[in-house]
Amino acid sequence: MSLVGRGAELRSLGRLLGRARDGGGAAVVRGEAGIGKSTLLAAAVRAAGEQNLRVLATTGLQSEAQIAFAGLYQLLRPVLDQVERLPRPQRNAVLAAFGRGDAAVPDLFLVALATLGLLGEAAAAMGAPVLVVVEDAQWLDRASADVLVFVARRLEYEPVVLVAALRDGFDGPFADSGLPEIPLPRLEPAAAEQVLDARAPGLPGAVRQRVLQEAAGNPLALVELPAVLDAGDAAVPTAVLPLTARLERAFAARVSGLPPATRAVLLTAALNDGEALSEALAAASLATGAPCTADDLTPAIAARLVEVEADGARLRFVHPLIRSAIHQGAGLGPRHRTHAALARVIPDDDRRVWHRAASTAGPDDEIAAELDAAAVRAQRRGGVAAGVAALERAAALSRDPGVRGERLLRAAEQAFELGRRDAVVRLLGAADRLELSERQRWRRAWIRDSFDDGVLGRAQAAWSLAQVAARAAAEDPDLALNLLHGAALRCWWTEPGAEARASVVAAAGKTAVARDDPRLLVILAYTAPIDCGEVVLERLRRPGLAGDARAARLSGNAAMAVGAFDLAAAFYSGALDDLRAQGRLGLLARALTLQAWTSAQLVDLSVAMPAADEAFRLARDTSQPIVAATARATQAVLAALRGDEDAADRLARDAERASLPVAARAVLAAVQHARGLAALGAGRHADALADLRRIYDPADPAYHGGHRCFALGDVVEAAVRAGRPEAVAGLVAQMSAVARRTPSPALHIGLRHARALLGGDHANLEADLSAWPFARARAQLVQGERLRRQRRAAESRAHLRAARDTFDALGTIPWGDRARAELRAAGETSRRRAPDARDRLTPQELQIAQLAAEGLTNREIGERLYLSHRTIGSHLHRIFPKLGVTSRAQLRDEVV
């Protein structure tokens, strides 16, 4: 097809290819069917050849979408000889994904890191950059699409360029990736006329005008419609049909005039989930009962419907709409016979069973059992989406209602794991129409009401989940804990009411597990952080509680919820390595988000800043929007503590946009906390008071019962500095009563700070705040201010000096500036704060510098952060001059 009218798009691709040698990138070419996406990609391949780039390609096929990693295998097959150069975990993961290894279930993102590594090794082996071309990305199997989007986001410093073609109107990883896009609009009238006259010169005026009108600037329509209209075919497209349907009719008309044997081979190729010509010919011969040969394709090639590779091994349709037209035009009987024939000639178990399933309309327990086994194989390889599809089809073919229900629930559980709400709703809807056992009904309730970590859906689900859990507690404690965890998250994110909270706590008490089981402590902490705070903290402080990484992570979550941030930080510090090693990026994103929030509350910015940055990127990669919003809100808090009002405002608005539609109160409270801290640091005390008061108003969407305990000192400081201490008198009395019900460290530290501001009680100066240096420095600042106002300047300086030094060390610039101003007023000149690594580096650069300072190699850092070792090297190349160092040994003094 012509490239007329595509100059701007060609220049965009040219610029992308031009970056390949110095650091690659990615783009998604978008547009309707027939708009010229494949033509543009073909131009990119030609340009890559002229620049000596290596080209790797894959094409999504509708019929192949149920085969996990099928598209990725097609892409990487030419470079699998480089797999031995990968670290062992990555090598094992990618081989297991392709069914060529015995490793345990590989995490999708470990496969993705292996893919990134393989592309880099391929570029290194050839000594030239690589162009990755993805045709019809909308039809890639989900596992392959997820992997390639993950890779595309990490090509900034790689000698790899990825270009994907995506048809408009399709959802999926590429559609929601946020990658740069090259949209292809319809051609302008002059360009459309040029294309038509070049391909169909001499058309009668009326026909020419009709083609231009119906094609409406679509290049494929300009090429294909003239033949149909000029021939006066009975299937002339009509204006009431969508353009895609008109094009399919045009192709169908062309197919209908071909010999029967040609049509049989085309139907077989259209239904096949591969491109091997030998498979199509063998299956067509079986379906028709007569030998079919490559010669039978000659009329189809002449009609520009298919192409056959020079070696005769592979057959491809010129355009996906041809495949679709053939499929739609065939009757049900011929399709069933052709699928059955394909099942007889295809050796691969997974492909064969899908053709068997497509060859029958009624129940078939034998095929259902084979699909169930295929689902297990898919899950073992990490292809969860393929497993969901196999179980759903197996359920449809199952005669026994109990077996059908079990398969639907297993499919729903796996769809739940993927975060596919639409699939979960559909599968549970099908299960609802069956007679399920009581245990199955418990599982159904857990899947339905625990979706999205309790953020979305009914707040009342906390109560209903608690009722189901109470019934399951004795018979199946693990399922009961799962149900209660969903209920507890509802209590944390939403406001279900006192009765619902009490029902969750009561059901937890009846569950037959150890009283210090971290799963139970998380449930209690999320559900009732004030009323259960004492028992949670008492159990968390027992020696040896967190015996493994999972227990440590859960214990950290519980400690965070009750405001024991120092305890939570200790738990998290040892809980994340296992998640990294296993490649469990969904859980890692959540754990990093809470580690970042915890460290932000302790004002440990060297931990919080890189953790929040990585958490946001991983939450985006793993499609967890509320986790990403929580990370954004934490970044807003950090920006406020650093005195960057513009960044704090921008990040807070990002988090708020994602959280308001789902009423995620915990995030909205964090957003208001960030705004209040930013205003407080800037001296806008009245604004800070207004922002922070919202956290304490039960009628406000930002009200949060647990977060009230974290912001008390800030709201009181805002009121006092605004000259309105009376505005928080009732609030302090209310939270003092709350403090008598819970030993929450955050609340008691905040309450002591509030009392110091209101009445001179400086208990925080005497308390052990070694793990809370910011709180101690604030107490020193308040005491120094009070002494200076009492004209005791000499006594004030020691407090103000200590506060300044701590604020400078922590990186809380506005508070350090306030301490300096007070010191000047007390008669002491104060040096300016020297910029440190947190000022000079991005959060990701800070994290890389910290790991390099610990002695990790580039490859080890890359494995830890899911980046390539080349990307790490490029970052370090930029980090060294920013910090003024020339070796890794010098990094330790700058970042540790």
Side-chain angles (χ1 to χ4, degrees):
M1 222 180 324
S2 171
L3 286 167
V4 170
R6 298 303 188 201
E9 292 82 2
L10 283 169
R11 287 191 292 273
S12 294
L13 276 179
R15 286 192 294 271
L16 183 61
L17 289 173
R19 300 206 309 263
R21 296 184 186 278
D22 299 321
V28 177
V29 178
R30 293 194 65 140
E32 65 181 346
I35 203 67
K37 300 183 294 295
S38 296
T39 302
L40 197 64
L41 263 60
V45 170
R46 288 194 298 273
E50 293 168 2
Q51 299 175 37
N52 295 318
L53 272 65
R54 180 171 189 175
V55 178
L56 299 174
T58 188
T59 300
L61 298 173
Q62 267 183 302
S63 55
E64 208 172 47
Q66 295 86 6
I67 311 300
F69 296 110
L72 188 66
Y73 180 69
Q74 181 187 2
L75 177 77
L76 296 181
R77 184 172 49 195
V79 296
L80 279 178
D81 59 335
Q82 302 293 321
V83 74
E84 293 301 322
R85 299 171 67 90
L86 298 178
R88 182 182 298 275
Q90 296 176 31
R91 180 171 69 246
N92 291 344
V94 75
L95 291 177
F98 296 155
R100 295 171 62 172
D102 298 324
V105 179
D107 185 273
L108 185 78
F109 299 102
L110 198 56
V111 177
L113 186 58
T115 300
L116 183 64
L118 271 174
L119 295 175
E121 295 298 342
M126 185 177 177
V130 170
L131 170 64
V132 174
V133 176
V134 184
E135 287 262 25
D136 291 316
Q138 71 276 1
W139 289 326
L140 276 181
D141 63 277
R142 182 60 184 254
S144 295
D146 282 334
V147 163
L148 290 177
V149 168
F150 182 96
V151 168
R153 288 177 175 146
R154 286 161 172 77
L155 296 179
E156 182 181 3
Y157 300 107
E158 299 294 326
V160 179
V161 167
L162 184 149
V163 183
L166 180 68
R167 187 187 294 185
D168 285 343
F170 285 82
D171 296 326
F174 278 97
D176 303 321
S177 65
L179 294 171
E181 293 188 353
I182 302 176
L184 291 185
R186 293 191 177 193
L187 297 177
E188 294 293 330
E193 291 182 16
Q194 187 177 346
V195 170
L196 178 60
D197 293 341
R199 297 302 296 262
L203 283 178
V207 175
R208 181 178 182 276
Q209 190 58 38
R210 186 173 177 190
V211 170
L212 289 170
Q213 179 182 347
E214 293 200 15
N218 182 288
L220 183 63
L222 291 165
V223 170
E224 298 298 335
L225 293 181
V228 177
L229 293 173
D230 191 42
D233 194 279
V236 171
T238 60
V240 298
L241 287 175
L243 180 60
T244 299
R246 280 182 269 163
L247 286 169
E248 286 185 344
R249 285 198 175 189
F251 287 128
R254 210 188 302 168
V255 170
S256 65
L258 298 175
T262 303
R263 295 201 304 272
V265 177
L266 289 178
L267 176 59
T268 307
L271 297 182
N272 195 10
D273 51 7
E275 295 179 336
L277 178 58
S278 59
E279 290 179 355
L281 294 175
S285 300
L286 284 174
T288 60
C292 293
T293 69
D295 291 339
D296 291 316
L297 283 172
T298 302
I301 295 170
R304 303 195 318 275
L305 296 172
V306 295
E307 297 172 340
V308 176
E309 288 185 352
D311 60 4
R314 306 180 80 78
L315 176 153
R316 292 189 180 92
F317 288 95
V318 171
H319 195 277
L321 286 180
I322 301 173
R323 180 190 290 267
S324 176
I326 294 170
H327 184 279
Q328 297 296 329
L332 186 61
R335 290 205 303 268
H336 280 176
R337 287 193 295 275
T338 302
H339 277 299
L342 283 164
R344 292 172 60 187
V345 303
I346 289 174
D348 180 79
D349 288 342
D350 290 336
R351 293 177 59 207
R352 182 175 62 247
V353 70
W354 276 105
H355 285 294
R356 288 198 68 195
S359 70
T360 183
D364 189 312
D365 287 331
E366 181 183 345
I367 297 176
E370 289 184 24
L371 281 167
D372 195 311
V376 173
R377 289 194 296 272
Q379 190 175 26
R380 189 181 302 128
R381 295 199 304 271
V384 180
V388 171
L391 285 170
E392 185 173 12
R393 182 62 176 145
L397 295 176
S398 302
R399 287 188 173 85
D400 185 277
V403 175
R404 190 181 313 140
E406 182 64 24
R407 284 170 172 158
L408 286 169
L409 289 176
R410 284 170 55 205
E413 287 172 347
Q414 292 185 25
F416 174 97
E417 180 182 335
L418 287 172
R420 297 281 301 279
R421 169 170 280 275
D422 55 340
V424 171
V425 170
R426 183 184 70 251
L427 292 162
L428 292 184
D432 285 341
R433 295 188 286 273
L434 302 172
E435 289 291 330
L436 301 177
S437 69
E438 186 175 25
R439 185 184 289 259
Q440 287 175 331
R441 291 197 297 273
W442 295 343
R443 288 168 57 201
R444 179 186 61 189
W446 166 58
I447 298 167
R448 172 175 290 132
D449 285 332
S450 298
F451 198 85
D452 280 332
D453 276 353
V455 180
L456 303 179
R458 303 173 295 115
Q460 295 86 344
W463 184 88
S464 61
L465 282 168
Q467 306 313 302
V468 178
R471 294 194 296 273
E475 185 176 340
D476 194 338
D478 287 334
L479 177 58
L481 286 176
N482 285 337
L483 290 160
L484 289 172
H485 189 257
L489 286 167
R490 276 294 196 295
C491 293
W492 183 257
W493 291 110
T494 67
E495 183 45 64
E499 182 181 358
R501 291 178 187 276
S503 68
V504 175
V505 172
K510 297 176 183 176
T511 307
V513 295
R515 296 298 89 186
D516 58 358
D517 188 316
R519 296 172 297 172
L520 182 62
L521 298 184
V522 168
I523 290 165
L524 297 176
Y526 280 168
T527 302
I530 292 170
D531 290 330
C532 293
E534 183 172 5
V535 68
V536 168
L537 278 172
E538 185 274 325
R539 293 173 187 174
L540 285 174
R541 286 175 173 146
R542 292 178 183 174
L545 171 66
D548 56 41
R550 180 171 180 267
R553 176 170 51 83
L554 292 173
S555 299
N557 294 355
M560 180 279 302
V562 298
F565 298 118
D566 54 340
L567 193 58
F571 282 125
Y572 286 133
S573 65
L576 303 182
D577 287 348
D578 276 10
L579 294 178
R580 291 187 186 280
Q582 296 163 19
R584 302 180 69 184
L585 296 202
L587 279 176
L588 180 60
R590 300 182 195 187
L592 280 167
T593 297
L594 294 180
Q595 182 191 42
W597 174 253
T598 293
S599 299
Q601 296 305 301
L602 294 172
V603 196
D604 186 353
L605 304 190
S606 294
V607 172
M609 290 169 64
D613 177 74
E614 185 183 7
F616 174 76
R617 288 184 285 105
L618 292 180
R620 179 195 60 191
D621 286 337
T622 54
S623 302
Q624 299 183 89
I626 298 304
V627 177
T630 307
R632 273 290 192 241
T634 304
Q635 288 178 309
V637 169
L638 295 170
L641 290 168
R642 299 281 288 163
D644 190 341
E645 279 195 273
D646 290 341
D649 179 64
R650 172 177 51 81
L651 294 163
R653 283 188 281 109
D654 285 351
E656 189 173 53
R657 272 194 299 271
S659 307
L660 268 175
V662 295
R665 288 177 178 267
V667 183
L668 294 172
V671 164
Q672 290 309 119
H673 201 168
R675 287 173 172 155
L677 284 170
L680 196 60
R684 295 185 289 105
H685 302 122
D687 291 340
L689 176 60
D691 287 329
L692 293 165
R693 281 292 296 267
R694 291 183 56 186
I695 299 171
Y696 297 87
D697 180 1
D700 194 289
Y703 171 81
H704 191 268
H707 207 112
R708 293 178 303 161
C709 299
F710 310 157
L712 182 63
D714 299 318
V715 70
V716 172
E717 181 167 338
V720 170
R721 295 192 185 280
R724 296 185 55 204
E726 74 286 348
V728 292
L731 183 58
V732 171
Q734 174 192 347
M735 296 309 294
S736 295
V738 170
R740 289 192 286 273
R741 294 158 51 198
T742 177
S744 166
L747 174 57
H748 284 272
I749 290 170
L751 189 59
R752 291 196 296 267
H753 184 58
R755 288 170 178 159
L757 289 161
L758 292 168
D761 176 5
H762 295 278
N764 270 349
L765 287 174
E766 285 74 45
D768 179 8
L769 295 179
S770 54
W772 304 72
F774 186 63
R776 178 166 177 79
R778 291 176 81 176
Q780 291 167 331
L781 176 59
V782 171
Q783 175 70 331
E785 290 173 326
R786 183 183 68 84
L787 291 171
R788 190 188 63 78
R789 286 194 300 271
Q790 294 173 351
R791 301 185 184 279
R792 298 159 65 185
E795 292 179 63
S796 73
R797 290 172 196 150
H799 293 287
L800 295 172
R801 199 180 302 122
R804 177 205 61 196
D805 292 346
T806 300
F807 292 142
D808 284 355
L810 293 174
T812 51
I813 297 168
W815 281 264
D817 290 344
R818 183 186 294 277
R820 278 181 175 74
E822 287 291 331
L823 268 173
R824 283 195 298 272
E828 179 173 308
T829 301
S830 184
R831 68 185 185 282
R832 294 180 61 84
R833 173 183 175 271
D836 60 20
R838 290 164 300 195
D839 304 298
R840 298 168 178 165
L841 304 180
T842 67
Q844 186 177 56
E845 288 172 341
L846 176 61
Q847 187 176 29
I848 290 170
Q850 289 169 338
L851 294 172
E854 291 176 14
L856 274 67
T857 66
N858 288 5
R859 191 175 292 276
E860 289 169 337
I861 298 171
E863 290 178 36
R864 182 181 177 89
L865 301 184
Y866 284 78
L867 299 168
S868 79
H869 64 86
R870 285 169 295 275
T871 295
I872 301 303
S874 296
H875 275 297
L876 286 170
H877 183 70
R878 290 161 174 79
I879 288 167
F880 278 28
K882 284 186 177 184
L883 296 181
V885 301
T886 57
S887 69
R888 289 178 181 243
Q890 293 174 302
L891 281 176
R892 178 173 293 275
D893 294 334
E894 297 292 332
V895 299
V896 176

